Structure formats: C-alpha cells, structure tokens
Amino acid sequence: MRKILIIEDEPDIQELLAAYLRDAGYEIVIAGDGVEALAQFQQGAFDMILLDLMLPKIDGFGVCELIRRESSVPILMLTALDGEQEQLRGFQMEIDDYVTKPFSMPILLQKIRAILRRTAGGMENNRCLHYRDLTLDLDGMEAVLAGRSLDLTTREFELLQALISSPGRVFTREVLLAKLWGYDFFGDERVVDSHIKNLRHKMGTDYIETVRGVGYRAAKENP
C-alpha cells in the first residue's frame, strides 16, 4: 500500500483528502503545520507528499526546502496560491506538480497515480476492487458485472467505487458531492440521485440501496 503524507492545516480539506485517498487504497498520514510535517516525515517512509503552502509555523516552501535537502520523494503542492511566481518557485524546488484550490478530487487522484507510476518506473500495477460479481479496474476505469462490461461515465464509475469501497456505510448526498464533485460544489444535491438512477439502470441490479432520508449504501453482506 502506497503511503501519502498530507500536509494541510484546514480540517475540512484534511478530512476530504484523507477519506477520498483511503477509499482509493492509499495509507494516509496527516500533518497540520510545518513543524508537525517535518516530524512526521522523519518518522516514516512516504511514497508521496501533498503539500499546502500557507501553513502555520513553517510555510510550505520552507517545508519543501528542508525535505529536498535529504529526499527526492514526490511532492505535489496543493494550494490556493495560483500566482505564476509561486508556481515557478515550486518547480524550481523540484516539486512534481502544482495544483490550485479549488480542485477536482478525481483529477487530483489521477495526477497522484500518474506521479507514482512515473516515479516507480511504471511498475505500479492496476488495482481492482471486487464486490459480489462486480469488478472495478481502478486504474483502467473499467467496470465489469457478471462478465458484462458496463458503459459508465467517469462520474458514475467514481460514485460506484465510493459505495462499494465501504459496504454497509451510508453516504449522505452531501458527502458524495464533496468526494466526487469537490468541496466547493454549490449545485443541486439531486445530481447525486440522477447518477444513482443511471447506475441502477445500467447495472440492472439492486446493489445500491436507498436509506430513506439519509443517502445511499452498498449492502454489507453478500447474498
């Protein structure tokens, strides 16, 4: 399991990143300021670092500089600072990518996977998720149900992945919107219902259960 250090001081974004990346199969460690980040880095071996710039105690550039003195671990800067000078400074410090907030969680995940494949020499294997007679190829973004390939949109695939990654867990519409559409999404919550309806139609099964007044889940027990 790949291990990622998230260095971010905003609790809501910490929670969003950690939940999404754990669902995607990564081990997550969180640091809320620059001093804690360096302490965590010294204590463990990480495959990647997600680094905010506007941090308490030591800012992200300071953290990056100190880490780069002793390690070439992949670093992805994830920040609200979108100026050209900040981005140039980051790349001059040999970061691997620079993503500005607000960001798309699915796109961020693909960037993380691409960086890890590149830094591992292309040796990262495709990961699959199995639930009953459904198989999701997480890297190839393909879904197969009882030997039948499902023609899913990217959002439908990600929604199905979220549900079957945690069988029995009830996901509210708010949580699904935050995980898949982004924490800054201000649209209608019924977009989740529409995607669930499409998924059920394409699958032709009752794998997705409605928890009335709350949200949706994949049943915990296999039939």
Side-chain angles (χ1 to χ4, degrees):
M1 181 179 292
R2 299 297 185 93
K3 190 174 182 180
I4 298 177
L5 174 60
I6 297 173
I7 307 173
E8 167 65 57
D9 65 320
E10 295 186 38
D12 289 346
I13 300 180
Q14 286 179 0
E15 182 178 351
L16 174 66
L17 288 168
Y20 196 91
L21 294 178
R22 285 186 179 119
D23 283 347
Y26 297 101
E27 181 181 352
I28 300 301
V29 175
I30 296 175
D33 60 58
V35 171
E36 182 184 5
L38 293 171
Q40 292 283 10
F41 176 74
Q42 294 294 335
Q43 293 172 11
F46 294 94
D47 297 289
M48 189 172 187
I49 294 174
L50 300 186
L51 176 61
D52 187 19
L53 289 180
M54 300 171 67
L55 296 170
K57 300 183 180 180
I58 303 175
D59 70 15
F61 287 121
V63 171
C64 184
E65 180 180 2
L66 292 170
I67 289 175
R68 276 290 175 260
R69 289 180 183 178
E70 56 184 277
S71 174
S72 60
V73 60
I75 297 176
L76 188 156
M77 284 186 171
L78 188 62
T79 174
L81 299 178
D82 59 359
E84 182 178 284
Q85 291 303 315
E86 288 84 5
Q87 295 184 52
L88 286 173
R89 184 179 176 187
F91 286 112
Q92 288 166 357
M93 299 177 76
E94 300 183 355
I95 66 168
D96 294 83
D97 208 341
Y98 192 106
V99 174
T100 58
K101 302 173 183 176
F103 53 87
S104 160
M105 287 301 306
I107 291 176
L108 177 64
L109 178 59
Q110 293 304 318
K111 285 180 176 288
I112 290 171
R113 288 173 174 167
I115 291 171
L116 289 174
R117 283 195 298 269
R118 182 171 67 248
T119 56
M123 295 302 293
E124 187 175 68
N125 296 324
N126 279 17
R127 296 167 298 110
C128 291
L129 184 62
H130 302 280
Y131 175 79
R132 300 186 183 180
D133 54 356
L134 173 67
T135 298
L136 299 187
D137 177 348
L138 301 184
D139 294 318
M141 299 288 285
E142 296 180 356
V144 177
L145 177 64
R148 173 173 60 95
S149 180
L150 300 177
D151 183 18
L152 304 182
T153 66
T154 299
R155 193 70 77 205
E156 289 166 355
F157 183 95
E158 292 161 350
L159 181 55
L160 186 58
Q161 176 188 342
L163 292 170
I164 70 172
S165 292
S166 302
R169 175 184 172 184
V170 178
F171 290 86
T172 65
R173 292 171 180 83
E174 292 84 354
V175 167
L176 291 171
L177 282 173
K179 285 172 64 67
L180 304 183
W181 277 263
Y183 66 90
D184 60 328
F185 180 79
F186 294 108
D188 194 329
E189 290 181 2
R190 287 177 294 182
V191 69
V192 175
D193 301 334
S194 176
H195 281 73
I196 291 289
K197 180 180 178 181
N198 292 338
L199 264 177
R200 285 170 168 162
H201 176 73
K202 291 180 179 182
M203 296 174 68
T205 69
D206 59 354
Y207 284 0
I208 301 173
E209 299 179 346
T210 299
V211 180
R212 190 173 299 277
V214 183
Y216 300 97
R217 69 181 175 196
K220 186 172 184 180
E221 298 295 334
N222 286 343

